[in-house]
Amino acid sequence: MKIKTLVALSLLLTAGANVPAAPYEPKWESLDRRPTPAWFGEAKFGIFIHWGVYSVPAWAPVGQYAEWYWQCVLSKDPKKAAWRPYHEATFGAGFDYRDFAPQFRAELFKPEQWADVFARSGAKYVVLTSKHHDGFALWPSTEASRTWGRPWNAVETGPKRDLLGDLADATRARGLTFGIYFSYYEWFNPLWLSDRKRFVDEHMIPQFKDVVTRYRPSLIFNDGEWEMPSAGWRSEELLAWLFNESPVRDEVVVNDRWGGETRHKHGGYWTTEYAAGLADGSHPWEENRGMGHSYGLNRAERAEDYRSTRELVLLLIDTVSRGGNLLLDIGPAADGTIPPLMEQRLLEIGDWLRVNGEAIHGTRPAARAAQWTEGKRPEQAYGDYQVRYELLEQVGQQPRDGRAVKQVFFTQKPGTLYAITAGWPGRTLTLHDVDLPAGASVTLLGVSGELKVERRGAALVVTLPDLGPDEAPSRYAHVLKLPGATVKR
């Protein structure tokens, strides 16, 4: 009873403001008028979880996706030539991927422990794969086992447990918003291979409505849409049901993956994947990526293949400063444990957010996303993933020419501007084109007392505390709070 009460309260709190109750027609011109519920723009940071049968082999060549194991082992694409030899050498030439399902036991899965880690990370929402492209469902989906002709959900085989429901309850009990990833298509589903229309009508749509009705997700990350246009998936009809009739019609947030033609055009927030994100917040958007390269656990990835906590914190800051959300993925093991390196990254991000989270959660971009205070950097940084990461890796470092690269990111709330410095800025920080009201009290988050501020021409010079290496309030980046300040366009 207590958990049900907390779930109901969580759903009320996550309901989006200003989402009209008027019916939406099953047409994009009507569906696209629905505003994204307000909670999504406030949350900023979420946890993505790829977990399923593919977590048993948990392998891919470094740089590829381990959750695509089944498809890649059977692929004839020369770029995937390493998969089949690995599979045959490790499991045997005749071993069927579907026989991994009983080995996906999740015997050490403790949803409350997962939820504790997520809450301590500073994330505000959690998105679990309800099923990936292999079609294996983490809830008691009758459609999954019926169309596959064998037990193909986590309640009938493997864990023999409702993994989706257990995590939904645990995360909501910690005050987090719960969402799901849902794959439209399934690589080798017999019905998909024989009759796509029947697959949509008799399998996909009933399964989608079942998982939404059972677990009431406040976010749906749809995927696998590229195989057909939205008309083939009946997406307009499905979204009209979701927005008009479903139990989450008021608070549900959806992405833009509803047909081969819909990304960055139709649906809710725009998605970017292992990319630089978008330049501004003119439309809600979210960058999603893993800590290494794979979403599902890849045992071939080593520590050096993972982004450092510093890089992930700067990625979060950079994304939020441009109006986006960051959905950071973890890939748990088949036994239900979160790999320690992934857990460490999350907890260290949480350490930073405990001090500086007010400059992230609930903020909006300032007029200018960032200032490079020293060094000339290319404008294409916002459009190119590799260039962007090269720049973030240099922030606060000492390049070969001896000039320190400094960057200031800006976020804002009504009446307050936040200037976020990548790395410790030194004894003074110069801000250009910032208007600060006379007498405003400028502070450094995590440190008591006001900071000295001088106006030198068009520049604002802030004197920071004389702190030793172990006295800084946080690591990786630091936040100045400037009440009443604005950034000139």
Side-chain angles (χ1 to χ4, degrees):
M1 179 64 72
K2 183 178 180 182
I3 288 178
K4 289 181 179 178
T5 302
L6 288 168
V7 169
L9 178 61
S10 175
L11 289 170
L12 287 173
L13 291 174
T14 56
N18 303 318
V19 178
Y24 291 93
E25 297 180 59
K27 301 176 182 178
W28 284 123
E29 55 265 34
S30 175
L31 299 168
D32 288 341
R33 285 197 291 269
R34 180 182 184 266
T36 299
W39 74 261
F40 182 76
E42 300 291 312
K44 300 304 178 188
F45 179 38
I47 305 298
F48 213 1
I49 309 167
H50 276 66
W51 192 38
V53 172
Y54 45 83
S55 305
V56 177
W59 183 89
V62 174
Q64 298 187 45
Y65 291 164
E67 66 277 10
W68 281 63
Y69 189 91
W70 192 8
Q71 198 269 354
C72 291
V73 164
L74 299 181
S75 175
K76 296 180 180 179
D77 185 344
K79 295 179 181 179
K80 299 174 182 176
W83 292 80
R84 187 187 295 271
Y86 170 82
H87 179 77
E88 293 179 352
T90 307
F91 304 106
F95 191 91
D96 191 313
Y97 174 87
R98 289 169 289 187
D99 292 332
F100 283 127
Q103 300 178 42
F104 176 54
R105 299 187 183 96
E107 69 272 17
L108 299 179
F109 174 49
K110 296 180 179 180
E112 294 80 9
Q113 187 266 335
W114 281 28
D116 179 66
V117 171
F118 302 153
R120 291 166 63 193
S121 77
K124 298 300 183 183
Y125 59 107
V126 175
V127 181
L128 174 63
T129 46
S130 63
K131 68 158 187 171
H132 201 258
H133 310 321
D134 61 0
F136 186 86
L138 299 192
W139 81 100
S141 168
T142 57
E143 287 82 14
S145 296
R146 183 176 67 241
T147 57
W148 281 94
R150 62 187 296 163
W152 203 238
N153 69 63
V155 176
E156 294 184 61
T157 187
K160 298 191 175 179
R161 178 176 179 180
D162 184 354
L163 301 177
L164 193 66
D166 288 350
L167 189 63
D169 288 345
T171 54
R172 285 169 172 154
R174 289 302 302 267
L176 302 175
T177 299
F178 184 73
I180 63 168
Y181 166 108
F182 182 88
S183 174
Y184 256 176
Y185 90 127
E186 300 174 14
W187 292 312
F188 306 117
N189 185 297
L191 197 54
W192 168 258
L193 296 176
S194 63
D195 189 328
R196 292 190 173 188
K197 185 179 186 304
R198 286 188 60 205
F199 174 87
V200 172
D201 296 346
E202 300 175 18
H203 176 73
M204 187 277 289
I205 288 181
Q207 192 178 47
F208 181 92
K209 290 185 175 181
D210 174 55
V211 73
V212 169
T213 302
R214 282 179 189 253
Y215 304 104
R216 299 171 65 112
S218 296
L219 183 146
I220 298 172
F221 190 110
N222 211 50
D223 198 23
E225 83 294 349
W226 54 81
E227 289 292 323
M228 292 196 295
S230 59
W233 294 115
R234 296 170 55 190
S235 290
E236 292 162 295
E237 174 188 334
L238 193 59
L239 287 169
W241 171 83
L242 187 67
F243 296 160
N244 294 327
E245 303 176 43
S246 80
V248 291
R249 57 187 174 272
D250 293 328
E251 78 265 15
V252 71
V253 172
V254 300
N255 68 2
D256 58 352
R257 301 184 179 195
W258 300 95
E261 82 287 10
T262 64
R263 290 198 192 187
H264 293 204
K265 184 177 180 182
H266 295 302
Y269 64 89
W270 300 162
T271 56
T272 64
E273 182 173 322
Y274 285 86
L278 303 181
D280 58 46
S282 57
H283 191 283
W285 63 275
E286 177 187 73
E287 161 67 3
N288 74 92
R289 58 153 299 136
M291 293 182 179
H293 185 81
S294 181
Y295 286 97
L297 176 63
N298 183 5
R299 293 177 294 116
E301 290 182 338
R302 313 316 312 154
E304 58 268 23
D305 297 312
Y306 282 69
R307 293 291 176 183
S308 67
T309 304
R310 176 181 175 277
E311 290 172 311
L312 294 174
V313 167
L314 292 180
L315 174 63
L316 174 62
I317 295 166
D318 179 43
T319 300
V320 171
S321 74
R322 289 182 281 127
N325 283 25
L326 176 63
L327 187 63
L328 182 63
D329 182 79
I330 62 168
D335 63 8
T337 57
I338 300 173
L341 185 58
M342 296 183 186
E343 183 173 335
Q344 179 189 37
R345 294 287 191 272
L346 292 180
L347 295 178
E348 289 177 345
I349 293 171
D351 290 341
W352 187 85
L353 283 169
R354 265 189 294 279
V355 176
N356 304 290
E358 71 169 273
I360 298 296
H361 300 304
T363 63
R364 297 292 182 268
R368 180 181 302 168
Q371 291 182 5
W372 291 100
T373 58
E374 292 185 29
K376 185 177 181 181
R377 300 298 160 195
E379 290 298 323
Q380 67 265 33
Y382 289 118
D384 184 274
Y385 165 73
Q386 290 299 335
V387 171
R388 188 107 203 120
Y389 262 105
E390 288 172 8
L391 297 182
L392 289 177
E393 287 169 356
Q394 293 177 49
V395 169
Q397 305 299 312
Q398 194 74 19
R400 293 176 183 176
D401 62 6
R403 294 179 302 159
V405 178
K406 298 180 183 179
Q407 189 174 20
V408 180
F409 303 88
F410 292 105
T411 61
Q412 63 182 344
K413 291 178 179 177
T416 303
L417 179 71
Y418 298 96
I420 309 174
T421 71
W424 184 251
R427 286 291 283 137
T428 62
L429 176 67
T430 301
L431 300 174
H432 300 280
D433 300 325
V434 173
D435 284 330
L436 181 70
S441 177
V442 177
T443 57
L444 177 67
L445 295 189
V447 175
S448 59
E450 298 182 19
L451 303 180
K452 179 183 176 182
V453 181
E454 297 179 73
R455 174 65 66 184
R456 297 179 185 174
L460 199 67
V461 180
V462 182
T463 301
L464 285 96
D466 187 10
L467 301 177
D470 299 324
E471 297 175 308
S474 58
R475 304 172 66 188
Y476 320 121
H478 305 275
V479 180
L480 295 183
K481 183 176 182 178
L482 299 96
T486 56
V487 180
K488 298 178 183 178
R489 293 184 180 276

